[in-house]
Amino acid sequence: MSSGVDPISRSEGNVMTPTLIQALAGTKPWVQFCSIIGFIITGLMLLAGVGMMIAGGFMATTGDSPGMGAMGMAPLALMGVAYLVIAGFYFFPSLKLWRYGSQIASFIGSNSVTDLESALEAQRSFWKLAGILICVGIALYIVFMILIFAAAAGSAMLLPSPAP
């Protein structure tokens, strides 16, 4: 049930209350801190992924892995690729957070309703992406659990049956 009162007039015509500005100003450093940490983690994951791929290729070509051959290093290279993919999962939320923090800074500097709307839109965009990534993560966990159980069942069937 709506009271029929315009939300703007509830605060006597002033949308920019000191509490609103202070709340966003207090949020901005933490948003940017989390974003920077996300960028650092992304960079480290990229370095680790490329390093694993290079190490896997180097070990396969030099023969430093006796008895493993070129296919023996494939898991290391695949893990490197997985790190690159995971880095992408860190990069985009970090970028959305950075944009939100920048929009907060614009709003604090101008106290403009348009800048407030832009900041809230950037926040909505971040949370939408976070929700999508959570759903994707849950789906991947379920798929991996099914694969693990299937592999365990297959391995159990290969075991010799006990002697009577």
Side-chain angles (χ1 to χ4, degrees):
M1 288 178 33
S2 175
S3 65
V5 177
D6 185 20
I8 293 175
S9 63
R10 275 192 230 155
S11 60
E12 298 160 8
N14 186 3
V15 175
M16 291 354 133
T17 64
T19 304
L20 181 132
I21 296 169
Q22 186 179 20
L24 282 174
T27 302
K28 180 183 155 274
W30 291 106
V31 167
Q32 289 182 328
F33 172 75
C34 291
S35 175
I36 290 168
I37 295 299
F39 286 133
I40 290 170
I41 290 171
T42 299
L44 292 174
M45 300 243 352
L46 288 172
L47 286 173
V50 170
M52 282 185 240
M53 292 169 62
I54 290 171
F58 178 74
M59 291 172 74
T61 59
T62 61
D64 287 345
S65 48
M68 295 187 82
M71 288 306 291
M73 291 300 109
L76 187 59
L78 286 176
M79 195 174 352
V81 170
Y83 267 63
L84 295 179
V85 171
I86 293 169
F89 283 109
Y90 277 94
F91 175 75
F92 291 106
S94 300
L95 181 62
K96 297 270 186 192
L97 275 179
W98 184 260
R99 288 180 181 160
Y100 175 46
S102 297
Q103 293 298 328
I104 291 173
S106 295
F107 167 68
I108 291 169
S110 71
N111 285 346
S112 158
V113 173
T114 304
D115 287 338
L116 174 61
E117 289 171 349
S118 295
L120 292 174
E121 177 59 29
Q123 182 188 46
R124 183 205 60 80
S125 179
F126 166 75
W127 285 113
K128 179 180 177 182
L129 178 62
I132 290 168
L133 290 177
I134 288 169
C135 291
V136 168
I138 290 170
L140 287 174
Y141 284 133
I142 291 169
V143 167
F144 286 133
M145 291 304 288
I146 290 170
L147 291 174
I148 288 169
F149 287 131
S155 295
M157 290 176 27
L158 294 176
L159 293 174
S161 56

